[in-house]
């Protein structure tokens, strides 16, 4: 077994060491290094603990009591990286960071066994595990400034850039952030991950920010063992492909003394210059990728043995023995006694309670405190006159959807100094559709700013800002563009409270110009009607306002939910309705709404998951949302003129769906037509039908949707998009 080979090699290699003359522990362990004997012995303990945790993980798996075997063996040199940092520097760690985690735990004043027990409880999926509570094995701890990451490849790097950005932005704005003003962010990852789009996005963003002379205190640590599971990384690739705007540091990741000195230099560079750097550590991977990995299927024995010869735990033992600070016999006895003790701890961890129900598992997913959110919605700036330059929006007269969103954003920026609005073209231009026009001029470039054209970077800045105590409102220019970076919402934003039991949150409201029906501006990248990928993300709030007054109220709700509950909200804004003024006839201004003053925000509050009804007909309920609301209202008026009693239900929230309001409206008429502008397969209508059936609705149900097609350019779009005529024809058929 790989574990046996690694342990046997350690025992044989250490036994063969020749002790040197005794040396003062306060002196360097070898000439030319700053690593003292005392510090070397301290770091060896973290390396040893990490190694034995891997041994315990394999042993637990054999007993069918452990559930995670991706280990840190060969990467134990990262203990020296932890030692170069402060315990308050936020860390987003690679999944081979066992020694780093144990070192950070000790730096925070915890007992050695506490860090070990944290990891063991994670390996055994124990509900008492302090960060994920048995939901996954992660390195994370709120008290240690370690933000948990799963094994998703490189997805944490954009967030890490956002954390570094937030440190400086909070200081610039005079806000008390989650981290000290002089903190730096550390983010570690593997050589294979360095090729992933998420990593390239983050490294490029850091370089882009640095190129502009802006502060971004982040240390990227690439732990390069030359393998991505079985795929080899070409020798020298990480150095050759590094971003030229990141200061480069390199060290032998198996030589603790070298890592110690180089890591200290890298950390000092980032902390003093507030600029990004890359620390490249050449490591080895011992025991394979994970417990199920058969290395001999893709590596030769010579290659595996060559890695064993570079074992960092043996290398540190050699430093101690040759410096006369320990004997081989002492270290081997210490290894065996520590191993025995750790396996006993592992056995005890396996006997701790595990999550016992679906409710237990899902508890951190979507905390909702509706009353607190409603109260937070009513908060306005003390001096709105100044914020709006004396022209309060409630005095402007009826507003369009675009204008209502703009004024609401201004109110949020005025009332809350921690709100940031950013994205592509949102600053001086005010967005492609002018929704953010004038906000930068009013609130400054530190709070309303343009980003580079990279959705992963935009969302990464939001993720890092949110977990750092700010309330970001990023804009994604079009719904289709969101899919370019969806894992930042699915794999990072939505999972953070789940894998930290709410200890870490990333509140945000992601504004998205959405849906189709634009006039004179076509193509599927600018007219996208697919929301299925959003609706299946647990805990995510998806808002879809159609009317200007709803947009203002629902945006306030989303902002309050982000601030109070840490919610991640996606706010879908129908592009085609941004500047719509009329409802039934030209000049009727039926789609405009006055802006509600703060005194009425409480009474006009729209709770998450509550629909809006129009009409009181008893013959037919048309269930719809977005652009479908206007089309359905127009169709309903024509049907009403013919003597049919119709009502229209605007869902407003696509996740969670307003099931209670849906069922009530359905029972009132006994006939339901779902007018869904998304696609027939995977669209919203499928869930609406399912909710009706699950609730035992016995009336008639029909649906009319857009086709299962991308949206083409020009007039051809009309052939595949839901139309008023289709809604009206389907309604007549259902009423017949």
């Amino acid at each position: 077994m790989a574990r046996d080979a690694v342990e046997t090699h350690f025992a044989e290699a250490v036994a063969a060491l020749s002790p040197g003359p005794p040396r003062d522990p306060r002196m360097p362990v070898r000439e030319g290094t700053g690593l003292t004997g005392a510090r070397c012995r301290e770091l060896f303990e973290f390396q040893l603990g990490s190694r034995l945790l891997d041994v315990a993980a394999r042993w637990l798996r054999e007993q069918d009591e452990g559930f995670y075997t991706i280990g840190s063996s060969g990467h134990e040199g990262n203990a020296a990286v932890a030692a170069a940092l402060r315990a308050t520097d936020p860390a987003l760690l690679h999944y081979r960071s066992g020694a780093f985690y144990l070192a950070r735990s000790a730096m925070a004043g915890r007992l050695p066994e506490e860090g070990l027990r944290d990891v063991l409880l994670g390996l055994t999926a124990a509900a008492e595990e302090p960060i994920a509570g048995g939901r996954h094995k992660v390195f994370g701890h709120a008290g240690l400034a370690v933000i948990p990451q799963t094994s998703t490849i490189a997805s944490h790097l954009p967030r890490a850039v956002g954390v570094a950005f937030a440190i400086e932005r909070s200081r610039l704005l005079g806000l008390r952030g989650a981290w000290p003003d002089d903190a730096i962010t550390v983010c570690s990852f593997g050589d294979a991950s360095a090729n992933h789009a998420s990593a390239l996005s983050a490294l490029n963003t850091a370089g882009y920010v640095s190129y502009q002379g802006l502060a971004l205190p982040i240390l990227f640590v690439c732990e390069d063992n030359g393998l991505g599971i079985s795929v080899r990384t070409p020798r020298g690739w990480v150095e050759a492909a590094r971003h030229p705007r990141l200061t480069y540091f390199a060290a032998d990741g198996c030589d603790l003394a070298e890592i110690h000195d180089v890591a200290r230099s890298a950390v000092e560079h980032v902390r003093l210059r507030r600029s990004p750097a890359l620390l490249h550590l050449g490591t080895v991977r011992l025991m394979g990728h994970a417990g199920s990995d058969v290395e001999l299927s893709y590596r030769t024995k010579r290659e595996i043995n060559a890695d064993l010869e570079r074992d960092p735990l043996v290398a540190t033992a050699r430093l101690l023995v040759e410096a006369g600070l320990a004997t081989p016999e002492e270290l081997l006895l210490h290894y065996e006694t520590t191993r025995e003790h750790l396996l006993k701890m592992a056995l005890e961890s396996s006997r701790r309670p595990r999550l016992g129900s679906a409710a237990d598992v899902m508890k951190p997913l979507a905390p909702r405190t509706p009353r607190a959110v409603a109260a937070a919605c009513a908060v306005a700036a003390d001096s709105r006159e100044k914020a709006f330059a004396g022209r309060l929006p409630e005095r402007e007269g009826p507003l369009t959807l675009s204008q209502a969103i703009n004024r609401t954003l201004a109110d949020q920026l005025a009332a809350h100094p921690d709100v940031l609005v950013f994205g592509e073209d949102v600053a001086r231009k005010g967005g492609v559709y002018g929704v953010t026009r004038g906000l930068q001029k009013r609130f400054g470039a530190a709070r309303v700013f343009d980003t580079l054209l990279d959705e992963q970077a935009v969302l990464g800045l939001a993720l890092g800002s949110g977990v750092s105590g700010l309330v970001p409102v990023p804009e994604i220019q079009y719904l289709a563009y969101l899919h370019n970076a969806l894992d930042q919402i699915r794999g990072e934003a939505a999972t953070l409270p789940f894998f930290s039991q709410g200890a870490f949150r990333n509140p945000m409201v992601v504004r998205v110009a959405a849906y189709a029906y634009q006039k004179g501006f076509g193509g599927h990248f600018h007219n996208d009607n697919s929301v299925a990928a959003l609706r299946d993300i647990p805990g995510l709030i998806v808002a879809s306002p159609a009317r200007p007054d709803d947009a203002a109220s629902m945006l306030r709700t989303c902002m309050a939910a982000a601030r109070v509950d840490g919610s991640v909200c996606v706010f879908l804004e129908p592009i085609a309705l941004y500047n719509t003024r009329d409802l039934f006839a030209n000049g009727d201004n039926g789609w405009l709404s006055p802006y509600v003053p703060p005194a009425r925000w409480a009474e006009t509050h729209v709770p998450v998951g509550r629909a809006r009804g129009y009409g009181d007909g008893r013959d037919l309920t048309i269930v719809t949302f977005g652009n479908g609301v206007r089309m359905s209202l127009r169709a309903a008026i024509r049907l009403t003129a013919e003597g049919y009693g119709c009502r229209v239900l605007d869902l407003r929230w696509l996740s969670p769906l307003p099931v209670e309001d849906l069922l009530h409206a359905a029972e009132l008429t006994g006939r339901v037509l779902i007018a869904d502008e998304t696609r027939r397969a995977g669209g919203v209508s499928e869930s609406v039908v399912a909710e009706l059936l699950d609730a035992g609705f016995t009336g008639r149900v029909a649906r009319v949707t857009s086709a299962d097609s991308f949206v083409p350019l020009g007039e051809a779009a009309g052939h595949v998009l839901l139309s008023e005529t289709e809604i009206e024809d389907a309604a007549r058929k259902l009423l017949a």
Side-chain angles (χ1 to χ4, degrees):
M1 295 175 63
R3 182 187 77 212
D4 295 336
V6 171
E7 291 201 275
T8 298
H9 177 266
F10 176 82
E12 293 175 349
V14 172
L17 294 174
S18 300
R23 187 176 305 188
D24 187 337
R26 295 171 296 181
M27 298 295 291
V29 290
R30 74 177 181 220
E31 188 176 346
T33 181
L35 179 64
T36 67
R39 176 51 72 103
C40 184
R41 184 59 189 256
E42 180 184 8
L43 295 179
F44 176 77
E45 293 300 321
F46 305 137
Q47 292 184 295
L48 176 60
S50 179
R51 174 64 58 83
L52 292 176
L53 283 170
D54 290 352
V55 171
R58 306 297 174 101
W59 179 79
L60 285 165
R61 181 68 286 217
E62 291 167 9
Q63 313 305 312
D64 200 27
E65 294 289 352
F67 307 96
Y68 191 91
T69 55
I70 296 178
S72 304
S73 295
H75 289 245
E76 291 91 349
N78 55 40
V81 178
L85 296 156
R86 298 173 185 167
T88 52
D89 289 328
L92 299 90
L93 301 178
H94 186 228
Y95 50 67
R96 301 195 191 276
S97 299
F100 184 110
Y101 183 81
L102 296 179
R104 173 61 68 90
S105 179
M107 290 168 66
R110 304 174 82 215
L111 296 173
E113 286 198 353
E114 292 183 271
L116 295 168
R117 186 172 289 108
D118 289 349
V119 180
L120 289 170
L121 291 171
L123 294 172
T124 57
E128 297 171 1
E129 191 267 334
I131 187 68
R135 291 168 183 82
H136 196 46
K137 189 273 176 188
V138 297
F139 289 120
H141 197 292
L144 306 179
V146 178
I147 302 169
Q149 306 302 318
T150 69
S151 55
T152 304
I153 301 303
S155 67
H156 61 298
L157 271 71
R159 181 204 293 277
V161 173
V163 171
F165 165 83
I167 292 171
E168 293 300 310
R169 193 50 50 106
S170 295
R171 183 178 58 80
L172 177 64
L173 295 173
L175 301 173
R176 184 176 180 180
W179 326 110
D181 286 351
D182 62 347
I184 73 170
T185 302
V186 63
C187 176
S188 59
F189 56 101
D191 51 287
S193 298
N195 299 305
H196 195 274
S198 298
L200 297 174
S201 171
L203 296 168
N204 183 69
T205 303
Y208 182 91
V209 172
S210 174
Y211 183 75
Q212 296 184 89
L214 301 174
L216 193 77
I218 184 169
L219 177 63
F220 294 104
V221 181
C222 181
E223 299 181 19
D224 181 2
N225 62 32
L227 288 164
I229 306 183
S230 68
V231 179
R232 302 168 195 269
T233 299
R235 189 180 299 276
W237 170 247
V238 172
E239 180 180 0
R242 72 183 192 270
H243 198 286
R245 297 298 307 179
L246 272 61
T247 304
Y248 180 74
F249 297 86
D252 180 353
C254 299
D255 184 338
L256 190 69
E258 185 175 331
I259 304 172
H260 174 271
D261 294 347
V262 175
R264 288 178 65 183
S265 296
V267 167
E268 182 180 21
H269 171 89
V270 175
R271 198 177 304 279
L272 295 180
R273 300 195 180 193
R274 316 304 289 171
S275 64
L278 171 65
L279 173 58
H280 180 197
L281 301 178
T283 68
V284 293
R285 190 189 73 189
L286 306 178
M287 300 192 202
H289 173 71
S292 59
D293 184 26
V294 182
E295 280 194 293
L296 283 172
S297 66
Y298 57 88
R299 300 185 77 193
T300 66
K301 286 185 177 180
R302 178 178 293 180
E303 290 171 330
I304 295 171
N305 289 335
D307 278 359
L308 278 173
E309 292 301 320
R310 292 186 61 211
D311 185 342
L313 195 62
V314 173
T316 304
R318 182 179 296 112
L319 286 175
L320 293 170
V321 171
E322 292 180 351
L325 298 166
T327 66
E329 295 76 16
E330 176 192 349
L331 292 181
L332 290 174
L333 178 61
H334 182 53
Y335 183 96
E336 287 303 323
T337 55
T338 305
R339 185 184 193 276
E340 182 180 359
H341 178 62
L342 196 60
L343 290 180
K344 288 180 179 178
M345 290 179 62
L347 183 61
E348 169 60 24
S349 296
S350 71
R351 294 170 176 168
R352 304 309 301 162
R354 293 171 182 159
L355 296 168
S357 67
D360 289 342
V361 172
M362 298 168 63
K363 186 176 180 181
L365 265 179
R368 301 276 190 260
T369 54
R371 291 184 180 178
V373 168
C377 283
V379 175
D382 293 335
S383 178
R384 295 177 68 241
E385 290 277 354
K386 181 180 179 180
F388 286 99
R391 191 180 183 214
L392 294 175
E394 55 265 35
R395 299 174 188 166
E396 290 187 65
L399 304 177
T400 62
L401 180 74
S402 171
Q403 291 170 329
I405 295 170
N406 176 278
R407 307 316 188 254
T408 307
L409 288 172
D411 256 323
Q412 291 294 313
L413 286 160
H416 304 289
D418 55 1
V419 171
L420 304 178
V421 174
F422 54 88
E424 303 164 10
D425 300 305
V426 305
R428 293 183 65 183
K429 181 177 175 62
V432 172
Y433 298 98
V435 180
T436 58
R437 185 172 295 142
L439 295 181
Q440 186 187 62
K441 183 177 181 180
R442 199 176 309 169
F443 297 100
R447 299 186 63 201
V448 182
F449 53 90
D450 289 328
T451 65
L452 67 172
L453 273 64
D454 176 2
E455 285 71 33
Q456 289 193 95
V458 173
L459 294 176
L461 289 177
L463 286 163
S465 298
V467 80
S468 300
L470 301 172
V471 183
V473 187
E475 177 183 291
I476 301 298
Q477 209 162 71
Y478 293 100
L479 179 57
Y481 295 3
L482 184 64
H483 297 283
N484 299 340
L486 194 63
D487 188 53
Q488 290 299 299
I489 294 179
R490 178 190 301 277
E492 288 292 319
T495 62
L496 184 62
F498 184 71
F499 290 134
S500 71
Q501 302 181 90
F504 289 102
R505 312 184 315 172
N506 35 218
M508 67 174 74
V509 180
V510 185
R511 293 183 44 252
V512 185
Y515 304 132
Y517 302 101
Q518 292 188 79
K519 303 295 184 184
F521 199 87
H524 75 282
F525 270 113
H526 303 100
N527 287 276
D528 187 19
N529 57 354
S530 174
V531 298
L534 289 171
R535 295 194 59 253
D536 78 342
I537 299 177
L540 187 69
I541 293 175
V542 181
S544 181
R547 299 293 293 262
D549 51 345
D550 279 343
S553 296
M554 292 169 67
L555 183 52
R556 283 193 290 270
T557 299
C558 287
M559 295 296 295
R563 183 178 303 281
V564 173
D565 294 334
S567 299
V568 179
C569 307
V570 175
F571 196 78
L572 301 176
E573 303 169 3
I575 299 171
L577 298 178
Y578 269 148
N579 300 307
T580 297
R581 306 180 67 86
D582 303 323
L583 175 54
F584 301 118
N586 291 337
D588 69 9
N589 290 335
W591 207 255
L592 304 179
S593 300
Y595 191 82
V596 176
R600 296 188 55 226
W601 285 357
E603 68 181 81
T604 57
H605 166 59
V606 177
V608 173
R610 294 307 306 267
R612 177 176 181 175
Y614 297 86
D616 56 3
R618 293 283 176 159
D619 296 325
L620 175 67
T621 298
I622 304 177
V623 176
T624 188
F625 61 93
N627 292 287
V629 178
R630 185 171 182 271
M631 291 189 289
S632 296
L633 287 172
R634 290 164 62 90
I637 283 294
R638 289 190 287 272
L639 292 168
T640 299
E642 298 173 15
Y644 296 110
C646 298
R647 61 177 64 228
V648 173
L649 186 76
D650 178 3
L651 294 171
R652 297 198 292 196
W653 305 94
L654 304 188
S655 187
L657 281 174
V659 176
E660 181 181 345
D661 293 334
L662 168 65
L663 297 176
H664 177 70
E667 292 293 346
L668 286 174
T669 63
R671 294 185 183 90
V672 175
L673 173 65
I674 306 157
D676 179 4
E677 66 179 291
T678 64
R679 299 168 192 165
R680 189 168 187 82
V684 176
S685 63
E686 290 184 340
S687 292
V688 175
V689 172
E691 292 291 354
L692 290 170
L693 292 175
D694 287 349
F697 179 67
T698 57
R700 296 182 63 190
V701 180
R703 62 186 178 125
V704 59
T705 72
S706 294
D708 290 338
S709 170
F710 297 110
V711 181
L713 193 66
E715 294 180 359
H719 299 311
V720 296
L721 293 175
L722 175 68
S723 69
E724 280 185 40
T725 300
E726 289 174 313
I727 295 172
E728 194 169 341
D729 290 346
R732 293 181 191 282
K733 184 176 180 181
L734 195 59
L735 287 164

